[in-house]
Amino acid sequence: MAYRILCVEDNPEIGKLLSEQLINAGHACDWVTDGEAALTALYRDTTGPRYDLVMLDLMLPRMDGLEVCRRLRRRDSLTPVLMVTAKAATRDVVEGLEIGADDYVTKPFQLPILLARVQALLRRGQQRASGDDDIGGTPPLVCGPLVIDTDQHRVELDGEPVQLTGKEFALLSLFARHPGHSFCRGELLDRVWGEEFNGYDHTVNTHINRLRNKIEADPARPRFIETVWGVGYRFTSRCDAASPDAGVGGESP
Amino acid sequence: MAYRILCVEDNPEIGKLLSEQLINAGHACDWVTDGEAALTALYRDTTGPRYDLVMLDLMLPRMDGLEVCRRLRRRDSLTPVLMVTAKAATRDVVEGLEIGADDYVTKPFQLPILLARVQALLRRGQQRASGDDDIGGTPPLVCGPLVIDTDQHRVELDGEPVQLTGKEFALLSLFARHPGHSFCRGELLDRVWGEEFNGYDHTVNTHINRLRNKIEADPARPRFIETVWGVGYRFTSRCDAASPDAGVGGESP
DNA sequence: TCGTCACGTGATGATTTCGTGATGAATTGC
DNA sequence: GCAATTCATCACGAAATCATCACGTGACGA
């Protein structure tokens, strides 16, 4: 799938090579040659992040790459930054990473490695980007036997499709994006129903109940959605208890 | 900021070095020495993701590091993986990243760089957990073998989850946030039960008792929650007092 | 118009947690 | 040593919390 990448590189040979390769890999790549142009490009659109990844050289005309990164991070801590530079000293690498880079590659680089690192960053960044309202292009979320495709609004359990209603799907995908986090009922109402909804907390119970009946082998002993007493509910990524003796009424406290 | 890290490394020198350094940096680090143990540790019976980061050597006994990563990714696309290995060939790096690693460091490594990369991954992973919304953000509280995660409303002892009730959890996390401080019963009632509660002081006793039964190996000789005679209770300040045998360490009998 | 479906609410029974009293053990002060 | 506190531990009923079912409503399409 196509991602938007900003390449900041003053060396024309390297810049040309990189943008060609990135476009070749199927991405949309803009290439600028100095720090101020980089910031301009990054902030051109205020409605959302303009790029899914920034490749940043450090020694740049008009504004240092570190400074670009610093300013970017001041406004946007999400867009992944990959520093590509000749500065290979230990303290340079550490400084770059501490300022907010997500990865750091020193020149001369192996092109395949650089591209693989780009892919890894895009993959990771994309998962993060899937907020509560899902935009297209998000890869499915895999949680053990559960596959949740927010894009297609589809859920599979052990390869079998599961039919969920709107609220059930919204609940499950919220849970799956925050495995382990304990949500209280009010929080769930806010995030799934919307803050303007004012109904009863125990509406959540009913929906959790219906959801469990669809995805749990034994709804009384839920494997995915646990009850946190006095708090709310929590999604589990306890994937290993796949099927050894699921459903057998053994009592092992 | 304390995070939970799993270090998979069969070389005892490097494993020791890494886990020491990570603990030194304030994290909770478990160290295993082969691939199967890694998977076991990752998917031990538990709720939620067990670790915030996995450091993975590739050449391992019993199961290849790549295979570990592959299997992990089959069930969990979120936990960040940092490969640390001597395999430095371009195709190795590319393969590792493609399989699902988020970063790849070759041996011999510069320790400061490695630690900076760990920090960068944790930072990114934390945002991933919080996403565009503001969920999460509170790293777990680590007191030696005790890990208290307010976010997930979860407690681990020596890596094993401990089931606590609401009051028990509130008590323990209050204690853990003030190690060494002696709380009298009235103070505990005020801060855990609320000032409007008017019950008996010795209600606290019962809850401390129940709590000890769950987290102390020998409740009669408490390691965490000490009794201060005539005053109240105190959480041990020697948080690093790991249990002698059930530690994070490798397999040194 | 009717049937179907998703959803919210109420009611009921089951489960878990909580507070209290009672009793025995540990500690302190004399 | 001995009495007086103070604490640990256990059991039990009350209260809080949760699971489950049934029903009514409104939306939507046949």
Side-chain angles (χ1 to χ4, degrees):
Chain A
M1 37 190 82
Y3 293 98
R4 303 158 300 171
I5 299 175
L6 177 65
C7 178
V8 189
E9 172 63 64
D10 62 330
N11 180 320
E13 280 180 37
I14 300 182
K16 186 155 175 291
L17 170 72
L18 285 181
S19 47
E20 276 176 5
Q21 290 291 329
L22 291 170
I23 289 171
N24 205 33
H27 304 301
C29 182
D30 290 347
W31 168 26
V32 297
T33 55
D34 68 84
E36 288 187 7
L39 281 182
T40 308
L42 283 165
Y43 293 153
R44 195 160 29 184
D45 191 353
T46 51
T47 61
R50 267 201 66 74
Y51 295 99
D52 302 303
L53 176 68
V54 181
M55 300 186 62
L56 194 56
D57 188 12
L58 289 195
M59 286 173 288
L60 290 170
R62 306 184 66 186
M63 186 188 299
D64 187 55
L66 289 178
E67 185 58 27
V68 173
C69 184
R70 230 179 256 117
R71 296 204 186 187
L72 172 63
R73 282 288 176 259
R74 213 172 291 158
R75 297 178 55 159
D76 166 20
S77 55
L78 297 177
T79 306
V81 170
L82 168 56
M83 290 186 175
V84 184
T85 173
K87 296 171 79 170
T90 297
R91 64 171 181 285
D92 290 325
V93 183
V94 171
E95 186 180 13
L97 291 168
E98 279 179 351
I99 279 179
D102 293 276
D103 203 347
Y104 194 106
V105 172
T106 55
K107 298 174 185 172
F109 52 79
Q110 295 289 325
L111 190 56
I113 294 183
L114 184 62
L115 292 176
R117 285 187 179 272
V118 166
Q119 283 303 123
L121 280 177
L122 289 172
R123 185 177 61 208
R124 170 71 48 193
Q126 205 50 27
Q127 285 167 357
R128 178 263 308 147
S130 56
D132 285 355
D133 284 314
D134 306 302
I135 326 150
T138 57
L141 191 56
V142 179
C143 293
L146 263 184
V147 179
I148 300 165
D149 193 329
T150 44
D151 218 26
Q152 303 190 19
H153 211 268
R154 268 173 57 87
V155 171
E156 278 183 13
L157 175 62
D158 286 325
E160 299 294 317
V162 181
Q163 208 71 15
L164 296 186
T165 72
K167 287 276 183 293
E168 288 159 5
F169 184 86
L171 267 176
L172 182 59
S173 65
L174 174 62
F175 273 124
R177 262 177 284 123
H178 305 279
H181 178 80
S182 287
F183 290 93
C184 68
R185 291 176 176 73
E187 210 174 344
L188 291 171
L189 286 178
D190 279 357
R191 298 192 167 277
V192 172
W193 276 257
E195 303 196 3
E196 69 283 355
F197 174 85
N198 51 349
Y200 294 79
D201 268 13
H202 86 278
T203 293
V204 175
N205 294 25
T206 301
H207 283 270
I208 293 285
N209 187 32
R210 296 201 248 255
L211 185 49
R212 279 179 175 159
N213 276 312
K214 293 187 181 181
I215 65 171
E216 303 282 2
D218 179 6
R221 292 166 176 249
R223 183 157 61 115
F224 298 111
I225 298 176
E226 293 182 336
T227 303
V228 186
W229 252 82
V231 180
Y233 298 95
R234 166 175 58 196
F235 186 78
T236 259
S237 62
R238 183 173 58 189
C239 306
D240 57 346
S243 51
D245 35 20
V248 181
E251 41 200 301
S252 39
Chain B
M1 292 288 220
Y3 293 96
R4 301 159 303 169
I5 300 175
L6 178 65
C7 179
V8 189
E9 170 65 63
D10 64 330
N11 180 322
E13 281 179 38
I14 299 182
K16 186 153 175 291
L17 170 71
L18 286 180
S19 47
E20 277 176 4
Q21 289 291 329
L22 290 168
I23 289 171
N24 207 30
H27 305 300
C29 181
D30 288 350
W31 167 28
V32 297
T33 55
D34 69 82
E36 288 185 7
L39 281 181
T40 308
L42 281 164
Y43 288 113
R44 201 158 14 177
D45 174 46
T46 178
T47 73
R50 273 201 55 75
Y51 295 99
D52 302 303
L53 175 68
V54 182
M55 301 186 64
L56 193 58
D57 190 11
L58 289 194
M59 287 174 288
L60 289 171
R62 305 184 68 187
M63 186 188 297
D64 187 56
L66 288 178
E67 185 59 25
V68 173
C69 184
R70 229 180 257 118
R71 297 203 186 188
L72 172 64
R73 281 289 175 257
R74 208 174 294 157
R75 332 192 119 181
D76 168 15
S77 47
L78 297 178
T79 305
V81 170
L82 167 58
M83 290 185 175
V84 184
T85 174
K87 297 171 79 169
T90 297
R91 65 171 182 286
D92 290 325
V93 183
V94 171
E95 187 181 12
L97 291 168
E98 278 179 351
I99 278 178
D102 293 277
D103 203 343
Y104 194 105
V105 172
T106 55
K107 298 175 187 172
F109 51 78
Q110 295 290 323
L111 191 56
I113 293 183
L114 184 63
L115 292 177
R117 285 186 180 274
V118 165
Q119 284 303 122
L121 280 176
L122 289 172
R123 184 177 61 207
R124 174 62 57 186
Q126 191 59 27
Q127 284 165 359
R128 184 270 304 155
S130 64
D132 295 299
D133 29 46
D134 47 4
I135 294 174
T138 317
L141 191 57
V142 179
C143 297
L146 261 186
V147 178
I148 301 165
D149 194 325
T150 317
D151 219 42
Q152 308 199 358
H153 211 268
R154 250 172 66 77
V155 171
E156 274 181 19
L157 175 62
D158 286 327
E160 298 298 323
V162 181
Q163 207 74 12
L164 296 187
T165 71
K167 287 277 184 290
E168 290 159 4
F169 185 87
L171 267 176
L172 181 60
S173 56
L174 173 62
F175 274 124
R177 267 179 279 127
H178 304 278
H181 181 257
S182 290
F183 290 93
C184 68
R185 292 175 176 72
E187 206 174 347
L188 290 172
L189 285 178
D190 279 357
R191 302 188 65 163
V192 171
W193 275 256
E195 304 196 3
E196 70 283 356
F197 174 84
N198 50 350
Y200 295 76
D201 267 15
H202 87 279
T203 293
V204 175
N205 295 23
T206 301
H207 284 271
I208 292 285
N209 185 33
R210 295 201 253 252
L211 185 50
R212 278 179 176 160
N213 275 311
K214 294 186 180 178
I215 66 171
E216 302 283 3
D218 180 6
R221 298 177 169 212
R223 182 158 58 115
F224 298 111
I225 298 177
E226 301 170 352
T227 304
V228 186
W229 252 82
V231 181
Y233 299 95
R234 167 177 60 194
F235 190 77
T236 184
S237 51
R238 44 182 177 82
C239 275
D240 50 322
S243 50
D245 33 42
V248 291
E251 47 218 309
S252 28

